[in-house]
Amino acid sequence: MNVLLLICLLLAAGLVAWASERIRPNLPNWVALTTFVLATLWVVFAWLSGPHEGGLYAEQFYSWIPRFGINVILKVDGLSLMLIGLTMLLGAVAVVSSWTETTTRRGFFQFNILWVMAGVVGVFSAFDLFLFFFFWEVMLIPMYFLIAIWGHEDRSYASMKFFLFTQISGLLMLVAIVALVWIHYSTHGVLSFDYHTLLGAELDDSVARLLMLGFFVAFITKLPSVPLHTWLPDAHTQAPTAGSVILAGILLKTGAYGIVRFVVTLFPEASRDFWIYGMALGVASILYGGFMAYSQSDFKRLVAYSSIAHMGFVLVGVYSFNDLGMQGAIVTMIAHGFSTAALFMMAGALQERLHTREMSKMGGLWVKAPRMGAVTMFFVIASVGMPGLGNFIGEFLVLLGAFQKNVFLTICAAIGIVVAAVYGLSLMQRSFQGTPNPDVPEMRDFAFREMSAMIVLMVALVWLGVYPQHVLSMTDAILPMLGVAP
Amino acid sequence: MGYWLFWIAGGIAILSAFAAITRMNASHALIYLVITLLSIAVIFFLLGAPFAAALEIVIYAGAIVVLFLFVVMMLNLGRRAVERERQWLLPGIWVIPAIMAGALFIVLGIALSGSEHEAVIEGTMVGPKEVGRSLLGPYILGVELAAVLLLAALVGAFHLGRRYIEERREK
Amino acid sequence: MEGPLGIPLEHVLYLAITLFLIGVVGILIRRNVIFILLSLELMMNASALAFVAAGAYWQEADGQVMFMFILALAAAEVAVALGLVVQLARRFRTLDIDAASEMTG
Amino acid sequence: MEMLWLVPALPLAGFLVLFVTEGKLPKIAVACIGAGCVGFSAVVAAVVGWEYLTSGTDAYSQVMWTWMAVGEFKVEATLYFDYLALVMVGVITGVGFLIHLYATGYMWEEEGYSRFFAYMNLFVFAMLLLVLGDSLLLLFLGWEGVGLCSYLLIGFFHKDPANGYAARKAFVITRVGDTALILGLLLLFREVGTLGIQESLETARSIWPDGSLMNTAIALLLLGGAVGKSAQVPLQTWLPDAMAGPTPVSALIHAATMVTAGVYLIARMQGIYLLSEHAMLCVAFVGLATLFIASFTALVQSDIKRVLAFSTMSQIGYMFLALGVGAWSAAIFHLMTHAFFKALLFLASGSVILSLHHEQDMHKMGGLWRKLPIPFWSMVVGSIALAALPFTSGFVSKDAILLTAADAPELGMVFWGGAIAAAFMTSLYTTRMMVLTFFGETKMEPHDPSKANMWLPLLVLAALSLGGGWFGFTVLDSLFHDHGVHFGLHLDNPIAIATMCIPLLGLVAGYLIFYANVFDRKGIAESGVGKAVGRFWFVGWGFDKIYDSLVVNPFRWLARVNKGDFVDLLFRFTALVARILNNLFSISQNGRLRWYALTMFGGLLLAIVFVAII
């Protein structure tokens, strides 16, 4: 599997999709969908054919700017492959979900989606810090366009907020990257942005802590964790459905991935000393996110806050520094990708039908659209953490891992499960159950197109919940690399 | 001798420059500007830069200011413009610029008088030949850039003027 | 020209400063665009004078080269600026520079 | 016994079929699938049980697949079948099938027929997984699964927001208990290193031969889970509201099976509890408190299903008491008999309710005994079993509990006294319920909807309620290896005689008070003290109010106040400062050329002065 080829494919497909709008307005959708389905199959094929020596599924090296030690180093290990697979699958789902929603400038719309995805794939596979930062920015700007052009009523505020938060935190990371490279250069005399070279950088404790914080802040902004989360509810709420799906399903994962791949490994000592803060932030996210989710009356906003709570589990898991927590964090990332993406699709479908996201204007929708009700119920239950579905596996493993580290914080995190039940069921009650709202017009139920996307996600969640071993064994091998004892 | 010539020309330049910025009638002001330019040309000549002096007269006084005059004539300002100038140029408007200019003069004067050794210009002639050598030698890049600048100005001026002409034609 | 001229460099620079400041004051007190451009020409000449004086002091051609560049600059500036003046006069029916103050922050 | 996996798989298949067909099947097919798969499951369970009993092995386990494995943490999806599982599976599939059968008639007229049976089948699947799972995590899967189905079925009539509220209340409150359970699992794994039930019990015995603080902590955390699920004090408030669900649901989930999951959990983990006296004591006191509180509350309810709900709570309290005093077999036995007679009571009351067009207020019923003979006689049988009149199944099991409790060291008489007082109250409220419902003047004219599929389960359950006690003598006593539990009649012991007679006394008292009106009942109820006490009992001793004012209302208030997210204020403030500065500076950006020139000149002046000074 050649990752660069995959990225180029996505970039090229973006251009083709943009151009194809002139032939027929619906053609960009087909181009994007085909690309994502093919890419998904490609990833699945790579997965089935197994890793090469050294546990890598792909490895590419191209010289880029040799003078500064910047190269195109792309590697795909189990974690990366899984996240890339998730990305491609959710890409297809996002395209399906916005099939009829977007009516203006579809070509440019799909172009942006494809380019975001290209950036994300790059982020998940770049093993050169400069390249990583490059892709980090590549995925940011099309996303900004997606929100700013096709968003809802408050889009300019939301997109600007999104942009500023991620950009400023990204700059912090850039500073940290450059400083790290410089320090490595001044001690070893080798100017290199290569991840594996930089792993050997010898840093003072205080310096390492500062640099680690630079990365950490960038990633928890993206994750996001309390208190840097406030861009997310606005961005999610205002983004078009596909944008929300991508944001929640994938872009948040880049933050988590960054922590796992870079913060923990590049600064092992500093991160280990930092565990209590990381974990506490995670717990704060869980509780505060859940609490805020309950207080929302906007369907999408509620789901957005619930994402914060779920990503808190990731943070807790990573900072438990053991195999259970780490694996739990990874499974949570994947499962959250599926469940929340589906809920955002549901919010989008409701908005398309009812032209509102306000739950006080819904109520009793089950009567009108039983399929949508059942599907929503499924995903609400999944995100509440029902055993047998993916989210539970992740959250339980996280709790199990965290419990070894700190009992008190684990208890607080476990309370988050109760809060999840409170907001999840309140979402269900306010939108689909209760007295049917007489003001709600007749709405059509899910048809084949939407249902098939949902079924894919449902099957994925059940699979993850009943047999998570596929995912667990893929990341098992790389746990030592992530600084976690197996 | 040269020194006195210099100050005579310089005094004329200052006086006429002052007159140029205070006149109400634009044409008169431009004529005063020409006088300033000519006195500066004299100074150039005294300083041993005959080529610069010639260009000052030919291009500055001869071409640029004439261009000004053309525009002034084209706009056909007349007596009412003079009246309006009189209304605009109130005595109060002088205060702040004058204070600041005075301050700057004092500061620069202090800075200049601070130097120890006497720097005296000998007045040795540096002729067109040296200037040409220098221009097309080390400064060739500057010349190219100046050419680009002039081209840009040409295009810009053409663009601005063309719109004017077209709009007139429509009327 | 032969022989020692005997003009102190400072004096030439005083002259240049004086002319420059007159130009500045001109810009600040006039509202008519033509006068502002005229003041601008004065300032440019003042700086050109400083260049040429410095070049003469060192007995090098560089001062005059700079003068040439200033000349080119002035020519370009005048060409565009006068085009703008014509447009301004047409559009606002006045030469008052304050009339064209729409480009606010 | 290889067919064991089929037992849970059949209901799951039923659920999947009903789920996928989205209610497009005809009702008759839905009924066949819904009840049929549970019936088949019961048959398979019977076969497996028979093989198990005849094989003479202690336990049989069936590994299906490795659920997850991370480092040392490994969870197998394993089914484990032993005596305890046998009883539980028998109750779940047997009683479950009867209730499904009943529900095919009861729900016939309702919307969402298929959805109902899908949920019911899913419930049976989850419940079976709960009792068959050999890993605590698998148990937890079933545990949450039944909680989910309970939520779905309580809120089955989702158009009424009150039902939705009751459903959410049930789910959230049990979730509180579940959180304790999860923490228990975490602690167990940390201390013992496994979540396999048998494995962990063995390890616990070997590493804590004399018990330890950790052991007690684990036991108490598990108890927390059990308390939530089994509606015991202090997490009991959800059960009465859960009666918003259709009556078969109340019978299956909120009487016969799910609410007894806590009892099952403690019985299953008895190895942990046996090592900790304090934990045992806690279990006993939880049971005692619940049975006491609930039986008083049941006396003043007017909704027939709420009476039964409080009665369920108090009966489960008996089971907890039994667990607490170490009478494991008596607890499980009472679980079984309670499943019989409480299911019977619910189904019979369901028939009454259905015939009165969903009227549940007992004060509006009366005089129905002639008009609804089958429900009436079923209720009579159920009532006497509930009141533990001699020779009914309820008597056998409850007697065993009370006598064992009386034998408990030190606190024996406390346990016995509390329990027997509650038993008296049980007779009293049962009588009241029967009198109000079936005797007196007829206030509403019933229509009898009874069909064979509805009265047949009643008959079977009535027979089991009467004769189910024989299981205790014949089978159970020999299966559980705990001795010192008193099954049978003990006429030589005054306590035993009192235990037998006091329920009878209650019956007589009930007859005198509610039927013969010997006392001025109204006068007492309307006097100041009577009113206050009545109200206090009626609201279930005020637990709801306490939780509302301590937790629910503050949470809601905070949620309302903080809807805008106060953290965002920080960032909004930053943005505001930037905007104010922007406005400030854009004043200078006024588009006036001479102003710009002046400021430039000023800046130049400053710069030169600055340089000159330096």
Side-chain angles (χ1 to χ4, degrees):
Chain A
M1 181 181 164
N2 191 329
V3 198
L4 194 63
L5 207 59
L6 177 60
I7 294 170
C8 291
L9 171 76
L10 291 169
L11 295 178
L15 294 173
V16 171
W18 195 352
S20 68
E21 192 186 8
R22 285 163 184 261
I23 301 172
R24 240 184 34 193
N26 206 19
L27 205 54
N29 290 354
W30 284 108
V31 172
L33 182 63
T34 319
T35 312
F36 283 126
V37 169
L38 284 179
T40 311
L41 292 178
W42 195 359
V43 174
V44 169
F45 178 74
W47 173 52
L48 290 178
S49 52
H52 311 298
E53 281 171 47
L56 290 178
Y57 289 85
E59 188 172 5
Q60 273 92 43
F61 183 95
Y62 303 98
S63 195
W64 187 12
I65 313 175
R67 182 177 212 179
F68 299 118
I70 296 170
N71 295 305
V72 177
I73 305 173
L74 296 164
K75 290 180 188 173
V76 175
D77 59 9
L79 176 63
S80 302
L81 185 73
M82 226 155 42
L83 289 171
I84 292 174
L86 174 77
T87 308
M88 294 299 106
L89 185 64
L90 284 186
V93 167
V95 170
V96 170
S97 70
S98 60
W99 202 264
T100 54
E101 189 198 27
T102 317
T103 47
T104 52
R105 300 210 259 165
R106 289 189 209 181
F108 189 47
F109 184 79
Q110 302 294 359
F111 166 82
N112 279 316
I113 287 187
L114 284 157
W115 277 53
V116 173
M117 293 311 199
V120 172
V121 171
V123 163
F124 285 145
S125 57
F127 270 65
D128 180 284
L129 289 183
F130 187 84
L131 189 67
F132 177 78
F133 185 77
F134 173 76
F135 282 124
W136 187 265
E137 296 294 315
V138 165
M139 76 183 179
L140 170 62
I141 289 155
M143 195 66 227
Y144 169 79
F145 282 134
L146 280 180
I147 302 174
I149 298 179
W150 293 275
H152 302 309
E153 61 281 349
D154 224 358
R155 55 178 175 263
S156 59
Y157 171 75
S159 56
M160 193 44 83
K161 202 168 175 181
F162 164 76
F163 188 79
L164 285 179
F165 267 80
T166 36
Q167 191 69 0
I168 290 171
S169 60
L171 286 178
L172 273 179
M173 178 169 71
L174 182 64
V175 170
I177 290 175
V178 171
L180 179 66
V181 169
W182 181 252
I183 289 169
H184 182 261
Y185 175 62
S186 55
T187 51
H188 290 78
V190 181
L191 192 59
S192 170
F193 283 79
D194 184 358
Y195 171 74
H196 288 287
T197 314
L198 291 174
L199 281 181
E202 288 142 17
L203 304 170
D204 292 341
D205 285 353
S206 54
V207 176
R209 163 160 294 212
L210 269 179
L211 295 186
M212 188 270 296
L213 277 178
F215 280 90
F216 184 75
V217 169
F219 292 138
I220 66 162
T221 307
K222 200 80 169 184
L223 191 61
S225 157
V226 172
L228 295 172
H229 64 277
T230 61
W231 63 270
L232 180 128
D234 288 315
H236 272 80
T237 312
Q238 299 303 330
T241 306
S244 304
V245 169
I246 294 173
L247 255 183
I250 302 156
L251 255 59
L252 305 191
K253 308 303 177 298
T254 59
Y257 173 83
I259 291 178
V260 172
R261 179 75 78 200
F262 296 106
V263 176
V264 173
T265 48
L266 285 175
F267 314 101
E269 302 299 323
S271 310
R272 262 170 209 277
D273 294 342
F274 195 67
W275 71 270
I276 185 84
Y277 304 103
M279 216 184 223
L281 276 180
V283 170
S285 300
I286 294 171
L287 293 179
Y288 192 69
F291 166 69
M292 286 308 296
Y294 174 74
S295 62
Q296 301 307 313
S297 58
D298 182 313
F299 193 113
K300 260 183 147 175
R301 239 182 141 75
L302 195 158
V303 181
Y305 272 109
S306 84
S307 289
I308 297 172
H310 284 124
M311 298 318 281
F313 275 102
V314 174
L315 210 51
V316 171
V318 172
Y319 278 92
S320 332
F321 280 106
N322 50 39
D323 47 351
L324 290 166
M326 186 64 83
Q327 290 279 35
I330 291 168
V331 176
T332 306
M333 277 157 71
I334 308 268
H336 171 263
F338 291 133
S339 66
T340 306
L343 285 176
F344 276 122
M345 277 181 71
M346 187 56 68
L350 285 176
Q351 172 145 35
E352 203 183 341
R353 287 165 171 76
L354 307 176
H355 307 289
T356 180
R357 301 182 304 269
E358 200 61 28
M359 284 187 288
S360 55
K361 292 178 186 160
M362 301 178 187
L365 297 182
W366 194 303
V367 182
K368 298 191 172 74
R371 266 187 195 166
M372 287 173 79
V375 169
T376 312
M377 181 64 93
F378 180 90
F379 287 108
V380 163
I381 287 164
S383 86
V384 160
M386 185 56 55
L389 301 176
N391 300 53
F392 170 76
I393 306 285
E395 283 166 20
F396 186 76
L397 286 176
V398 164
L399 290 176
L400 207 57
F403 198 79
Q404 324 289 328
K405 198 84 178 175
N406 186 308
V407 174
F408 174 72
L409 286 176
T410 313
I411 292 174
C412 294
I415 290 171
I417 295 179
V418 180
V419 182
V422 173
Y423 69 71
L425 300 186
S426 126
L427 169 78
M428 201 60 214
Q429 177 68 32
R430 283 188 273 176
S431 54
F432 279 93
Q433 295 171 333
T435 323
N437 190 339
D439 301 334
V440 174
E442 281 306 313
M443 53 190 252
R444 67 188 162 75
D445 207 348
F446 270 174
F448 173 75
R449 170 178 62 84
E450 283 152 316
M451 208 59 201
S452 52
M454 287 299 190
I455 285 172
V456 168
L457 296 176
M458 282 159 103
V459 169
L461 271 181
V462 171
W463 166 67
L464 203 56
V466 174
Y467 197 74
Q469 207 55 40
H470 283 140
V471 171
L472 296 176
S473 56
M474 268 180 83
T475 46
D476 239 359
I478 58 163
L479 283 183
M481 247 178 66
L482 303 179
V484 170
Chain B
M1 171 65 189
Y3 180 69
W4 292 113
L5 267 178
F6 163 72
W7 269 120
I8 290 166
I12 292 170
I14 291 171
L15 286 177
S16 58
F18 190 75
I21 64 162
T22 49
R23 289 307 88 191
M24 301 303 157
N25 192 320
S27 314
H28 296 179
L30 285 166
I31 298 302
Y32 278 114
L33 180 66
V34 169
I35 293 173
T36 311
L37 298 177
L38 290 177
S39 7
I40 290 174
V42 168
I43 292 167
F44 282 172
F45 202 76
L46 283 173
L47 292 175
F51 184 52
L55 285 180
E56 178 85 7
I57 294 167
V58 174
I59 295 183
Y60 244 122
I64 295 178
V65 178
V66 169
L67 203 60
F68 269 93
L69 277 171
F70 278 156
V71 169
V72 169
M73 286 192 285
M74 189 173 75
L75 293 175
N76 197 13
L77 294 168
R79 197 171 299 278
R80 286 183 60 194
V82 176
E83 281 305 309
R84 191 171 303 143
E85 289 295 329
R86 217 179 288 281
Q87 286 163 15
W88 284 344
L89 202 62
L90 299 171
I93 217 164
W94 283 87
V95 179
I96 295 174
I99 291 172
M100 288 174 79
L104 191 61
F105 189 82
I106 290 166
V107 171
L108 287 174
I110 292 167
L112 280 179
S113 62
S115 61
E116 293 285 311
H117 71 285
E118 193 93 334
V120 177
I121 299 173
E122 300 296 334
T124 317
M125 195 177 81
V126 179
K129 193 171 158 190
E130 285 91 339
V131 175
R133 275 221 178 107
S134 190
L135 257 184
L136 296 180
Y139 286 100
I140 184 70
L141 196 65
V143 175
E144 299 283 346
L145 286 174
V148 172
L149 177 71
L150 285 170
L151 178 66
L154 181 69
V155 173
F158 175 69
H159 182 66
L160 285 167
R162 195 185 60 151
R163 278 222 313 256
Y164 174 68
I165 293 164
E166 276 178 3
E167 281 167 21
R168 268 190 115 171
R169 205 174 283 154
E170 278 167 22
K171 278 176 187 170
Chain C
M1 274 286 178
E2 295 298 322
L5 184 66
I7 304 172
L9 180 59
E10 283 87 15
H11 292 201
V12 187
L13 290 180
Y14 279 129
L15 178 61
I17 292 166
T18 311
L19 286 174
F20 185 85
L21 288 176
I22 289 171
V24 168
V25 172
I27 287 180
L28 292 182
I29 61 170
R30 305 304 300 240
R31 285 167 75 171
N32 191 325
V33 198
I34 302 265
F35 281 90
I36 288 175
L37 290 174
L38 185 151
S39 307
L40 220 53
E41 294 303 322
L42 260 179
M43 287 162 73
M44 273 202 256
N45 267 293
S47 55
L49 177 59
F51 272 117
V52 171
Y57 173 66
W58 294 108
Q59 300 177 8
E60 293 284 351
D62 302 49
Q64 293 187 54
V65 168
M66 284 300 153
F67 171 73
M68 309 273 291
F69 287 148
I70 288 174
L71 206 60
L73 183 71
E77 177 241 73
V78 164
V80 175
L82 288 176
L84 284 170
V85 167
V86 172
Q87 288 291 330
L88 186 79
R90 262 187 38 67
R91 201 151 293 177
F92 296 94
R93 304 252 160 247
T94 176
L95 288 175
D96 184 3
I97 191 70
D98 290 348
S101 63
E102 280 165 9
M103 258 171 62
T104 54
Chain D
M1 285 198 273
E2 283 71 36
M3 294 197 296
L4 183 58
W5 65 273
L6 267 180
V7 177
L10 279 169
L12 180 65
F15 161 71
L16 286 178
V17 170
L18 294 175
F19 181 71
V20 170
T21 52
E22 293 180 327
K24 294 201 182 88
L25 292 178
K27 275 187 177 178
I28 190 78
V30 171
C32 286
I33 294 170
C37 65
V38 181
F40 276 118
S41 177
V43 171
V44 176
V47 173
V48 171
W50 180 252
E51 282 180 31
Y52 170 73
L53 288 176
T54 50
S55 71
T57 48
D58 238 14
Y60 169 72
S61 64
Q62 186 174 30
V63 183
M64 294 190 291
W65 74 89
T66 302
W67 191 6
M68 56 183 124
V70 179
E72 291 172 7
F73 178 71
K74 191 171 181 188
V75 180
E76 305 269 2
T78 304
L79 301 183
Y80 182 84
F81 196 74
D82 62 354
Y83 307 119
L84 187 54
L86 171 68
V87 176
M88 294 304 293
V89 169
V91 169
I92 295 161
T93 53
V95 177
F97 169 66
L98 292 172
I99 293 171
H100 272 75
L101 191 61
Y102 177 85
T104 54
Y106 186 87
M107 298 299 289
W108 192 258
E109 305 291 331
E110 304 291 346
E111 260 179 64
Y113 195 66
S114 164
R115 188 160 62 93
F116 178 81
F117 279 100
Y119 292 164
M120 289 288 268
N121 283 354
L122 184 63
F123 169 79
V124 172
F125 162 71
M127 192 70 205
L128 286 170
L129 214 54
L130 196 164
V131 298
L132 285 174
D134 185 36
S135 164
L136 277 169
L137 208 57
L138 204 57
L139 182 146
F140 189 71
L141 167 57
W143 190 271
E144 289 292 304
V146 293
L148 167 68
C149 295
S150 158
Y151 160 75
L152 291 173
L153 285 164
I154 294 169
F156 182 75
F157 299 124
H158 53 72
K159 285 186 204 167
D160 186 352
N163 294 350
Y165 178 75
R168 277 185 296 153
K169 185 175 172 186
F171 194 80
V172 171
I173 291 180
T174 48
R175 260 276 156 130
V176 174
D178 297 349
T179 307
L181 179 58
I182 287 191
L183 290 172
L185 299 194
L186 300 181
L187 188 58
L188 185 75
F189 176 73
R190 197 182 76 177
E191 297 299 320
V192 178
T194 174
L195 285 182
I197 292 174
Q198 303 304 324
E199 219 179 320
S200 59
L201 290 181
E202 267 169 39
T203 321
R205 246 194 308 273
S206 63
I207 60 173
W208 300 310
D210 310 315
S212 82
L213 194 63
M214 279 302 153
N215 181 43
T216 308
I218 292 169
L220 288 180
L221 285 170
L222 295 185
L223 174 65
V227 158
K229 204 54 123 192
S230 293
Q232 299 293 293
V233 174
L235 297 179
Q236 83 284 31
T237 56
W238 63 270
L239 186 61
D241 292 327
M243 293 302 131
T247 309
V249 171
S250 310
L252 180 62
I253 301 182
H254 305 117
T257 52
M258 184 189 88
V259 285
T260 57
V263 180
Y264 167 79
L265 176 69
I266 293 175
R268 184 51 98 191
M269 300 303 288
Q270 55 170 289
I272 297 278
Y273 284 88
L274 281 172
L275 295 175
S276 167
E277 264 177 47
H278 299 292
M280 293 280 277
L281 219 56
C282 280
V283 176
F285 272 115
V286 163
L288 191 65
T290 311
L291 67 89
F292 205 73
I293 290 174
S295 58
F296 278 94
T297 312
L299 189 63
V300 292
Q301 297 301 317
S302 54
D303 183 321
I304 187 167
K305 284 180 74 179
R306 279 177 89 88
V307 173
L308 291 174
F310 281 108
S311 151
T312 305
M313 271 159 63
S314 93
Q315 295 305 311
I316 297 171
Y318 278 109
M319 297 175 212
F320 270 66
L321 179 62
L323 297 170
V325 297
W328 309 105
S329 50
I332 294 301
F333 186 34
H334 195 58
L335 189 161
M336 188 178 85
T337 56
H338 173 253
F340 295 151
F341 63 71
K342 194 50 68 62
L344 175 65
L345 281 170
F346 265 115
L347 293 187
S349 72
S351 290
V352 173
I353 291 166
L354 196 60
S355 70
L356 295 177
H357 307 283
H358 294 281
E359 179 55 61
Q360 302 190 356
D361 191 345
M362 290 191 295
H363 292 296
K364 293 181 183 162
M365 301 175 183
L368 297 173
W369 72 278
R370 267 181 203 287
K371 285 159 185 146
L372 300 170
I374 298 174
F376 171 65
W377 288 109
S378 311
M379 281 288 261
V380 167
V381 172
S383 297
I384 59 172
L386 171 63
L389 296 196
F391 310 112
T392 58
S393 63
F395 167 75
V396 181
S397 52
K398 205 185 267 184
D399 206 36
I401 292 174
L402 286 172
L403 293 183
T404 320
D407 279 353
E410 293 172 32
L411 291 167
M413 285 333 274
V414 177
F415 291 151
W416 183 81
I420 200 70
F424 178 79
M425 295 305 290
T426 308
S427 302
L428 207 60
Y429 70 69
T430 314
T431 320
R432 172 175 174 268
M433 177 181 76
M434 291 304 289
V435 169
L436 285 179
T437 311
F438 289 105
F439 299 99
E441 56 181 305
T442 312
K443 290 170 192 154
M444 284 178 84
E445 210 42 55
H447 75 103
D448 191 357
S450 286
K451 291 171 270 187
N453 54 359
M454 287 177 72
W455 56 258
L456 197 67
L458 292 182
L459 292 189
V460 177
L461 282 171
L464 285 170
S465 302
L466 281 178
W470 295 105
F471 284 120
F473 292 114
T474 55
V475 188
L476 280 173
D477 202 15
S478 58
L479 290 184
F480 285 96
H481 304 296
D482 56 323
H483 302 291
V485 177
H486 308 270
F487 282 110
L489 288 169
H490 301 270
L491 293 175
D492 49 343
N493 183 342
I495 287 180
I497 295 169
T499 310
M500 196 163 75
C501 295
I502 283 176
L504 281 171
L505 223 61
L507 213 59
V508 174
Y511 172 79
L512 292 176
I513 296 171
F514 296 109
Y515 192 73
N517 280 327
V518 178
F519 305 108
D520 179 14
R521 201 171 81 228
K522 278 222 172 91
I524 296 172
E526 273 161 24
S527 68
V529 181
K531 223 174 190 169
V533 171
R535 166 142 319 150
F536 182 61
W537 285 353
F538 186 78
V539 297
W541 298 42
F543 279 90
D544 267 332
K545 200 155 206 169
I546 294 171
Y547 294 151
D548 274 352
S549 51
L550 280 187
V551 183
V552 180
N553 290 338
F555 187 79
R556 284 198 177 146
W557 178 79
L558 266 180
R560 211 169 42 241
V561 170
N562 194 29
K563 190 177 172 192
D565 197 347
F566 80 94
V567 180
D568 203 23
L569 290 181
L570 185 69
F571 302 107
R572 279 175 188 270
F573 177 73
T574 317
L576 189 71
V577 168
R579 188 155 297 168
I580 288 172
L581 287 179
N582 168 34
N583 287 339
L584 213 63
F585 287 128
S586 58
I587 292 174
S588 71
Q589 198 76 5
N590 55 9
R592 296 158 74 101
L593 188 83
R594 293 184 308 147
W595 165 254
Y596 296 163
L598 186 67
T599 47
M600 271 164 72
F601 187 45
L604 179 75
L605 191 60
L606 281 179
I608 290 177
V609 169
F610 187 67
V611 171
I613 287 171
I614 287 176

